[in-house]
Amino acid sequence: MDSYDDRGVGSVGGGAGPGAGQREDVSSVAGQGPGAGPGPRGGMAALTLPYQIVAAVALSVIGLLACAQLAMVFLHVAPSNTLTKQHGEAVDDWVYPEFEQNWKLFAPNPLQQNIAIHVRAEISGADGRRTTSWMSLSGEDGKAIRGNPLPSHIHQNELRRGWDFYLGSHDSENRANGTRGELSERYIRRIAMLRLSEHDYGGTIERIQIRSEVRSVAAPAWSKEKISTRPSYRVLPWWTVTAADLPENAEGADQ
């Protein structure tokens, strides 16, 4: 027989009731019982049913508009296809003028012409006046770019952008359209004088003349398209060189 003391081991002060660990387990389970309330909800779930419907409709409309915008812009910049041929007017009405794009998908404004800028000068020296042959400014830029892993932006863009500036501010008769036309003339003259100053012509440059040579890009060998590559020229009038056109005086003239 067990003694009274043996039977009472572990029961003093608590009897056969649960220990502290057991009470914690019971409490945690009780907190998850049917009486426990749900946690706070966020997002659209926190709204009442009418507001949830309004929010869902608003999000659907925004999504449809975004898809329509992407589709219209894609059709606008994409190459000609069946959809643009049938619904081109609707696409243009959607895009213009707020969403106008100035490039085409897969071929952003590809150049179809090679444009070279030439200059010649009238030199006054000990043997009198003489006119130099045409010098290709674009050719010199090309030599500086070819084989150069880090070509200068001056060689790549200065002359090209300057000539575009001139064409955009003059009519076909080389008449300037306001002050921008006069500014573009000074810019072109300074570029030409800067390049001519790198050569020794044995005299003083009195006048300069500039022309452009335009050649269409030839069709690829596999194409049956016939494109004339004969050059066409636009010759500007002679310009008398002034002190403001000289590279060493250009900064002071601007001031």
Side-chain angles (χ1 to χ4, degrees):
M1 295 180 63
D2 295 333
S3 66
Y4 176 81
D5 292 337
D6 293 335
R7 294 194 305 271
V9 173
S11 300
V12 178
Q22 293 176 329
R23 286 196 297 270
E24 290 179 0
D25 293 341
V26 172
S27 300
S28 60
V29 173
Q32 298 177 0
R41 295 181 297 177
M44 290 183 59
L47 302 175
T48 60
L49 180 60
Y51 285 107
Q52 289 182 5
I53 296 175
V54 172
V57 171
L59 290 176
S60 300
V61 172
I62 294 174
L64 290 175
L65 288 175
C67 292
Q69 170 70 10
L70 292 175
M72 290 297 185
V73 173
F74 176 82
L75 291 175
H76 177 67
V77 302
S80 179
N81 54 71
T82 304
L83 286 176
T84 55
K85 290 179 180 179
Q86 294 181 353
H87 308 287
E89 185 176 354
V91 173
D92 291 341
D93 291 340
W94 179 284
V95 170
Y96 293 111
E98 288 83 3
F99 309 109
E100 180 179 1
Q101 305 290 323
N102 63 351
W103 54 276
K104 297 296 181 182
L105 195 66
F106 308 127
N109 296 335
L111 293 177
Q112 299 181 356
Q113 294 176 325
N114 289 321
I115 302 175
I117 309 302
H118 303 159
V119 64
R120 64 178 179 177
E122 187 177 273
I123 308 296
S124 175
D127 54 351
R129 286 179 175 266
R130 59 185 175 87
T131 301
T132 66
S133 58
W134 289 103
M135 180 181 71
S136 176
L137 301 179
S138 301
E140 290 195 342
D141 285 346
K143 292 178 182 178
I145 293 173
R146 294 187 185 94
N148 188 347
L150 297 173
S152 168
H153 279 285
I154 293 178
H155 293 141
Q156 296 181 79
N157 301 317
E158 181 184 55
L159 184 61
R160 178 180 60 85
R161 296 295 297 274
W163 184 248
D164 289 343
F165 183 24
Y166 179 89
L167 294 180
S169 57
H170 287 74
D171 59 19
S172 58
E173 300 297 327
N174 297 317
R175 290 189 295 260
N177 300 326
T179 56
R180 285 180 59 83
E182 298 174 359
L183 179 63
S184 68
E185 290 179 7
R186 292 199 301 270
Y187 188 59
I188 287 292
R189 288 202 301 266
R190 290 180 183 179
I191 293 176
M193 289 301 299
L194 182 63
R195 307 294 179 84
L196 290 172
S197 65
E198 299 174 355
H199 303 269
D200 184 11
Y201 290 100
T204 302
I205 300 176
E206 299 290 345
R207 297 195 304 168
I208 60 174
Q209 189 177 33
I210 295 174
R211 74 176 184 183
S212 66
E213 179 188 85
V214 180
R215 294 176 183 266
S216 297
V217 177
W222 47 263
S223 175
K224 297 181 179 180
E225 186 178 5
K226 303 297 182 182
I227 299 178
S228 175
T229 57
R230 296 182 58 184
S232 61
Y233 296 94
R234 177 170 178 169
V235 183
L236 306 188
W238 283 95
W239 284 327
T240 300
V241 177
T242 64
D245 299 326
L246 303 178
E248 61 271 16
N249 297 328
E251 183 177 355
D254 290 336
Q255 296 175 353

